[in-house]
Amino acid sequence: RMHAARGQYPRAVQMLRRSVEQQRQVAGPDDIEAARTYHELAQVVSAYRGNAAARPMLDTSYAEIHRLLGDDHVDTRTALQNLVLATTDRAVQDSLLQRLVALERDHPLVDSLGIAAMLSMQGGRRFTAAQYPEAVALFQASLDILDAIRGPRDPARITVTNNLSVALGATGQYARAESLQRDVLTAVRDLKSAPDAVGGSLQRLALTLTRRGRLEEAERLQREAVTSLAQGLAPDNPAVDDARRNLALI
């Protein structure tokens, strides 16, 4: 976990794989701690190599945790949420999301953070469907909940703020998007976050500045973004090539 938090993904993957193997050797195939560790491994692979590489692992992880804990456990809901987020096929994603919404409706887990996560997920769905004003409203509602229960440097709050800023940009509200993105960039730098997290924050701000016609600062920030992303991610991660293309466009 420490290696993953520092963006040292290859080492984190190696150690988590070894941990899963050892847990299963000691406790057998029905050990919930091994299933939880495998889910962590899938999330690290997703961060390092992208969702496409991690999606089969997240599918297996959800199936294992669901089998061991059932529908009414927070770990099952978390695994399902992560599977939804890693799924690119729209029909499959819609089916998974409907399952998740039905579970929250029929067997709610009273948890403000969970509610905020659900609102954010719905916001992502609306954004993908190009329903940008609706996405802004959902992300804002999620952020309002997080503001009441989490501090300004909380990772969940940073993620939702990023999502809100992108949705604001899609509706042409560039000034507010820039303000939020500058706050996030300050936060991830203060937290000494992993290089890919810093790179993503730099890139979001650079693209917003590009849309506002402030190309000199945008180019400088995007160059920093490329450096950070290349430092933190695997060479074959599509995000690195995307960042280089964005720099060329700027």
Side-chain angles (χ1 to χ4, degrees):
R1 293 169 186 168
M2 179 186 69
H3 287 297
R6 292 177 175 175
Q8 298 167 351
Y9 297 122
R11 180 61 173 157
V13 167
Q14 181 185 36
M15 296 184 72
L16 286 168
R17 285 192 190 279
R18 185 184 309 160
S19 178
V20 171
E21 292 171 0
Q22 292 175 346
Q23 286 172 317
R24 286 176 174 166
Q25 287 174 359
V26 171
D30 294 333
D31 180 52
I32 185 57
E33 293 307 320
R36 288 181 172 127
T37 303
Y38 185 79
H39 185 69
E40 287 185 60
L41 171 61
Q43 289 178 288
V44 172
V45 171
S46 178
Y48 182 47
R49 297 187 56 202
N51 285 335
R55 208 278 178 188
M57 298 177 65
L58 289 167
D59 198 359
T60 299
S61 173
Y62 167 65
E64 287 185 353
I65 292 175
H66 180 264
R67 177 175 63 84
L68 294 170
L69 297 178
D71 285 329
D72 295 340
H73 197 283
V74 64
D75 288 352
T76 307
R77 304 290 173 88
T78 299
L80 181 53
Q81 288 179 17
N82 290 333
L83 179 58
V84 169
L85 295 174
T87 301
T88 55
D89 184 289
R90 184 63 185 278
V92 175
Q93 187 181 60
D94 282 347
S95 176
L96 292 170
L97 187 57
Q98 288 170 13
R99 185 189 310 172
L100 183 59
V101 171
L103 287 171
E104 291 291 339
R105 182 188 64 237
D106 299 336
H107 305 281
L109 301 175
V110 182
D111 175 14
S112 295
L113 185 59
I115 294 171
M118 177 62 66
L119 289 168
S120 180
M121 186 178 299
Q122 290 281 3
R125 189 183 184 206
R126 297 296 191 278
F127 186 88
T128 300
Q131 298 170 349
Y132 301 128
E134 294 88 343
V136 167
L138 287 163
F139 287 136
Q140 184 64 64
S142 179
L143 185 60
D144 289 342
I145 293 173
L146 292 172
D147 279 342
I149 62 175
R150 295 295 178 103
R153 299 297 187 259
D154 180 77
R157 187 188 182 281
I158 289 173
T159 296
V160 174
T161 302
N162 277 330
N163 292 339
L164 175 58
S165 73
V166 173
L168 286 165
T171 61
Q173 301 180 63
Y174 299 127
R176 186 162 179 237
E178 178 187 341
S179 177
L180 292 174
Q181 288 161 357
R182 289 190 184 279
D183 288 346
V184 167
L185 181 57
T186 298
V188 296
R189 281 175 163 165
D190 288 349
L191 290 169
K192 302 187 186 306
S193 299
D196 57 304
V198 177
S201 298
L202 285 162
Q203 179 165 239
R204 279 183 286 273
L205 178 55
L207 294 176
T208 296
L209 292 173
T210 299
R211 294 185 181 99
R212 302 196 76 186
R214 289 151 58 186
L215 299 181
E216 184 175 346
E217 184 181 7
E219 180 181 351
R220 176 177 60 78
L221 292 176
Q222 188 62 25
R223 288 188 184 281
E224 292 183 45
V226 169
T227 300
S228 293
L229 290 169
Q231 177 184 351
L233 299 178
D236 61 349
N237 191 309
V240 178
D241 285 338
D242 288 344
R244 292 192 175 106
R245 280 192 291 270
N246 287 333
L247 176 59
L249 290 172
I250 293 171

